[in-house]
Amino acid sequence: MRCLLCDRVVEKIETWTGLFSRRQKWTTCASCMAKFERVSEQAYEGIRTIYVYNEAMRDWLHRLKFSQDAIIAHVFADEIKKLCSHYKKAVIVPIPMHPAKKRARTFAHMDVLLEAAGVRYTHLLEKTTTDTQSQKSRVERENSATLFTRNAIQLRKDTHLVLVDDIVTTGTTIRHAHEVLKRDGFTHIEVLVFISARK
Amino acid sequence: MNDELARLQQFLSGRIWPAGKLPFDESVIAKAKERQLIDDVQAIEFLKGKPSCRRCRCASFDTYIRYYCAKCDKICVYCRNCIQMGRLASCDTLVRWIGATATTDVKPKLQWQGQFTAAQARVSQELIDSVRAKRSHLVHAVCGAGKTEILFAAIEIALSMNWRVCVATPRTDVVLELAPRFQQVFPDVTVQALYGGAPLATSYSPFIVATTHQLFRFEDAFDIIFVDEADAFPYTFDVALQQAVVKARKQDGVTMLVTATPSINMQAQFQKTGAYSFIPRRFHGADLPVPRFASLWFYDKQLQMNRLPKKIARWIKNCEDKGQPYLLFFPTIALMKQAAHLFSVPAVYAEDAERKEKVLALRNGEVAGLLTTTILERGITIPRVQVAVIGAESAIFTASALIQISGRVGRAQHEPTGDIVFFHHGVTREMDAAKREILRLNAEVN
């Protein structure tokens, strides 16, 4: 088996669980995994972040989103699965992509990430604009009009929701999504973001 | 044909390029399509149900990834093998030029006033004969035999017959070194250098110097391909390069292979047809340095316990006393990093950002030596360098790797000898094979 990121041959350690559970097809070598750095303390209020946006993470995100190498979503499959299993009976709500942009990229990276981990999710939001946050200045971001609308899927208003996104920089995207859901009457909303741009 | 179409023809002749990524206007492409000058092909074909990338022809099943494509609303397949040149999926198309190919009628003049040794002159003539007969040829030359010069005359003849010529090599730094040298001796021809990140030239060139990966962008393009891998260590004539060569050359095209370590099969195959040349001597005519074996039991444990084995310490001291630069090869990056603090010299490895600077420092004599893994700069022709391989029994040190490492020693004219020592935890067959081969090469002449 080869490492997804560096293509070096990885010897899988045989374990009893490995023997009895379904065999994992995609692996990442230990030295590649060690380059990702975990968040030591949460830098955003009300947002749970997992990894720091360092060189390795930038590289990985670039390969996933712009080189469109969808399979490297599997690098964090175990991690995401473990994280999402903390939220019992919660509905996972990924931040959506605009349909036109999704067609251009041929996949939505958040959906692919969650699918790789085998996590079920429900889209409750729809993206209304095609412009990306990363191309705007800080002021533009914070003053931008609504980015999302609620779609037609109806849930009980006391459902525990977990908003998930790939990266948080100023937090505008998350704030907008949070507001839209809150205005619709949802009371119990948590936020889980994979990468924190603040150290 | 108007100007724009002519430019498209110049660029696209022999190439196979992703649709929509062409450096031309949409209108030009539409016009060419209308006149049936270009043709669309599916980027990932399915041969008997198995996916096959039209660009890299990768045969491994693992490189093809199935995913749910939002553009087509169905399962599509993409190829991971050549993804760094832009992803190709089964819903993408590639463009080929199917009209008449571009030609140039330059009369190349070889401008080179070098002196051949007797062996070089002989092999050069043999290559010319093979080019004239249009048959593939194998040149087996030891490290440092001066093989680039041998190609000059053969290339001149191929160009004068209006052939399209390619020199392929696995490494970018080799392309960067070779292209200017060829340009210098063929001033009438534009030599196009193609490597990852090279500026894209849209003009036609009959003479291309390219890396393996850039060769994937061609199909049925070349009449003759020179594969130069004599100094391409640690890449050997691997499957990817072989496939790229077969794909990029024309159906009746030929391959001229220059290597220091041909496989036995290859050697036998070319010897049968007589298209085989052999230079067992370096240009300075001295024997190749023969490696010696020195036992170094449990070197990995000693290094892990932060102890520098005495034999290595003594060897280094010996080099330093004589003022000779030295290279220490390690089997793995992990072991090298762990042991680095025991040595007074810097360590280099493939991902090292300061790799070039460190090698330059050794050449300039600013540092006494270097620790390195198997991936080492090609330009490491350091006069008087001494080499030690630590853990020569490791699987990574194959016979050809060890021959190439030994070839680093004694490349200079005035000091053609040096010490090459394999420190080992048990002698392997690969080590024996390497030593036997070097002895055989020396005996060939004596």
Side-chain angles (χ1 to χ4, degrees):
Chain A
M1 219 178 318
R2 283 175 183 277
C3 170
L4 272 175
L5 296 176
C6 65
D7 211 35
R8 267 194 276 267
V9 176
V10 190
E11 293 301 330
K12 193 94 170 108
I13 302 158
E14 294 299 334
T15 57
W16 286 107
T17 31
L19 195 61
F20 288 112
S21 65
R22 240 181 74 214
R23 218 167 335 116
Q24 221 189 329
K25 202 178 167 194
W26 308 108
T27 46
T28 316
C29 70
S31 65
C32 282
M33 271 323 250
K35 286 178 190 159
F36 300 113
E37 188 185 339
R38 280 173 182 279
V39 166
S40 48
E41 59 188 284
Q42 300 296 340
Y44 298 90
E45 204 186 321
I47 300 176
R48 185 167 169 210
T49 51
I50 313 301
Y51 283 101
V52 171
Y53 189 60
N54 61 4
E55 181 119 3
M57 195 49 99
R58 191 179 63 210
D59 201 42
W60 174 81
L61 203 63
H62 189 272
R63 281 173 72 175
L64 178 67
K65 286 165 81 166
F66 302 106
S67 305
Q68 300 167 306
D69 196 359
I71 201 68
I72 63 165
H74 282 266
V75 170
F76 294 108
D78 290 347
E79 181 72 32
I80 291 174
K81 187 170 187 173
K82 212 161 72 191
L83 279 169
C84 291
S85 67
H86 284 308
Y87 302 99
K88 295 220 168 56
K89 288 184 182 170
V91 173
I92 308 284
V93 184
I95 297 289
M97 259 173 104
H98 192 274
K101 219 176 146 208
K102 188 168 145 186
R103 271 198 299 280
R105 191 174 286 169
T106 72
F107 60 87
H109 59 276
M110 274 320 292
D111 298 2
V112 166
L113 268 175
L114 292 171
E115 275 157 23
V119 175
R120 283 196 196 173
Y121 59 86
T122 313
H123 275 294
L124 294 181
L125 301 166
E126 253 163 45
K127 187 89 182 277
T128 52
T129 55
T130 48
D131 40 319
T132 51
Q133 292 291 308
S134 56
Q135 280 157 5
K136 294 183 195 165
S137 72
R138 192 190 176 90
V139 182
E140 275 178 322
R141 284 183 193 200
E142 282 166 1
N143 297 332
S144 53
T146 52
L147 300 167
F148 304 100
T149 51
R150 250 313 253 124
N151 66 11
I153 298 170
Q154 289 305 318
L155 289 175
R156 281 174 53 159
K157 298 298 179 205
D158 59 349
T159 319
H160 180 186
L161 298 183
V162 180
L163 259 176
V164 290
D165 200 3
D166 55 346
I167 183 161
V168 53
T169 314
T170 58
T172 312
T173 311
I174 288 293
R175 207 182 60 238
H176 276 276
H178 197 279
E179 261 164 35
V180 171
L181 291 174
K182 208 169 174 184
R183 220 179 300 135
D184 197 44
F186 288 101
T187 49
H188 191 179
I189 308 169
E190 277 188 82
V191 183
L192 173 66
V193 177
F194 199 54
I195 308 161
S196 158
R198 262 183 223 162
K199 287 223 171 164
Chain B
M1 212 185 314
N2 64 23
D3 276 6
E4 282 288 302
L5 276 179
R7 283 212 354 249
L8 183 66
Q9 179 200 30
Q10 290 215 334
F11 175 72
L12 213 54
S13 286
R15 279 197 162 99
I16 180 160
W17 208 261
K21 300 252 173 73
L22 281 167
F24 289 93
D25 236 29
E26 276 299 322
S27 60
V28 184
I29 295 162
K31 202 184 284 171
K33 214 172 271 180
E34 204 176 283
R35 295 189 192 175
Q36 296 198 326
L37 291 169
I38 57 172
D39 179 24
D40 280 341
V41 287
Q42 208 184 349
I44 310 272
E45 296 173 310
F46 289 88
L47 307 170
K48 291 180 191 164
K50 277 188 187 159
S52 169
C53 176
R54 188 69 195 247
R55 184 165 61 190
C56 68
R57 289 277 178 219
C58 181
S60 162
F61 197 71
D62 287 343
T63 55
Y64 297 102
I65 307 291
R66 290 154 55 86
Y67 73 107
Y68 186 80
C69 179
K71 191 168 71 182
C72 318
D73 208 12
K74 67 175 178 61
I75 302 281
C76 283
V77 179
Y78 73 84
C79 170
R80 275 198 93 201
N81 191 40
C82 55
I83 199 164
Q84 64 271 55
M85 291 191 279
R87 195 186 76 165
L88 286 182
S90 50
C91 45
D92 295 326
T93 51
L94 294 167
V95 183
R96 273 189 319 167
W97 183 266
I98 49 170
T101 51
T103 46
T104 49
D105 35 47
V106 283
K107 291 275 161 277
K109 267 265 160 52
L110 179 61
Q111 308 228 327
W112 184 66
Q113 277 96 30
Q115 269 296 285
F116 274 152
T117 62
Q120 278 177 317
R122 171 175 55 81
V123 174
S124 179
Q125 190 52 49
E126 281 168 0
L127 254 182
I128 290 169
D129 293 345
S130 275
V131 171
R132 287 243 162 82
K134 205 164 191 187
R135 64 172 177 210
S136 297
H137 197 106
L138 174 70
V139 178
H140 182 183
V142 295
C143 305
K147 73 233 157 345
T148 315
E149 294 79 14
I150 297 168
L151 305 182
F152 289 161
I155 289 173
E156 189 195 13
I157 286 172
L159 284 172
S160 64
M161 288 196 282
N162 257 334
W163 284 7
R164 202 172 189 191
V165 178
C166 175
V167 176
T169 162
R171 296 179 64 148
T172 302
D173 40 354
V174 182
V175 171
L176 289 173
E177 193 194 302
L178 286 183
R181 270 176 82 184
F182 284 127
Q183 187 65 76
Q184 210 175 9
V185 294
F186 294 110
D188 311 334
V189 187
T190 33
V191 180
Q192 231 174 55
L194 299 179
Y195 50 94
L200 192 63
T202 54
S203 59
Y204 176 85
S205 168
F207 189 4
I208 280 172
V209 184
T211 58
T212 311
H213 270 98
Q214 297 303 315
L215 218 50
F216 284 140
R217 295 181 187 272
F218 290 89
E219 194 175 274
D220 285 342
F222 301 105
D223 300 279
I224 187 163
I225 299 183
F226 293 88
V227 180
D228 178 1
E229 62 136 10
D231 267 337
F233 172 74
Y235 307 95
T236 44
F237 193 39
D238 61 343
V239 186
L241 180 56
Q242 283 186 45
Q243 272 169 346
V245 167
V246 169
K247 183 177 155 260
R249 77 170 189 223
K250 286 181 185 162
Q251 298 287 327
D252 61 342
V254 289
T255 311
M256 304 288 167
L257 187 63
V258 185
T259 176
T261 48
S263 72
I264 292 175
N265 280 346
M266 211 159 22
Q267 223 166 313
Q269 195 190 324
F270 281 98
Q271 261 163 348
K272 221 184 289 172
T273 59
Y276 173 78
S277 315
F278 180 47
I279 314 178
R281 274 280 122 136
R282 293 186 157 176
F283 66 92
H284 52 55
D287 272 359
L288 292 163
V290 179
R292 61 187 177 88
F293 298 163
S295 60
L296 192 70
W297 307 108
F298 298 104
Y299 62 92
D300 50 342
K301 292 235 170 64
Q302 294 196 53
L303 290 173
Q304 268 157 24
M305 286 159 79
N306 294 329
R307 269 208 312 254
L308 183 62
K310 272 198 192 118
K311 277 186 183 168
I312 299 180
R314 219 178 293 143
W315 185 83
I316 290 176
K317 191 165 179 304
N318 190 21
C319 286
E320 283 174 350
D321 286 350
K322 289 184 187 161
Q324 292 161 325
Y326 59 89
L327 289 169
L328 279 170
F329 283 85
F330 282 80
T332 60
I333 295 178
L335 187 69
M336 184 176 77
K337 279 187 176 167
Q338 197 170 29
H341 70 275
L342 298 172
F343 299 91
S344 56
V345 292
V348 282
Y349 51 97
E351 296 158 33
D352 196 345
E354 295 165 35
R355 190 166 79 157
K356 283 213 174 79
E357 288 81 1
K358 284 178 182 171
V359 173
L360 207 65
L362 177 66
R363 195 174 299 159
N364 296 344
E366 288 158 25
V367 291
L370 274 185
L371 314 181
T372 172
T373 58
T374 50
I375 300 179
L376 186 70
E377 287 294 317
R378 160 200 147 82
I380 192 104
T381 308
I382 298 164
R384 307 196 309 148
V385 73
Q386 313 289 305
V387 172
V389 180
I390 295 174
E393 83 290 345
S394 306
I396 191 162
F397 294 119
T398 59
S400 55
L402 289 170
I403 292 169
Q404 295 264 18
I405 290 173
S406 309
R408 303 290 125 194
V409 182
R411 289 172 82 112
Q413 182 114 43
H414 52 278
E415 200 158 337
T417 55
D419 192 21
I420 160 79
V421 52
F422 296 166
F423 289 113
H424 62 85
H425 180 78
V427 178
T428 59
R429 287 186 182 166
E430 297 288 328
M431 289 164 63
D432 278 334
K435 187 170 181 175
R436 211 182 313 122
E437 175 66 14
I438 290 170
L439 286 170
R440 192 184 70 79
L441 290 173
N442 284 340
E444 198 91 12
V445 235
N446 295 338

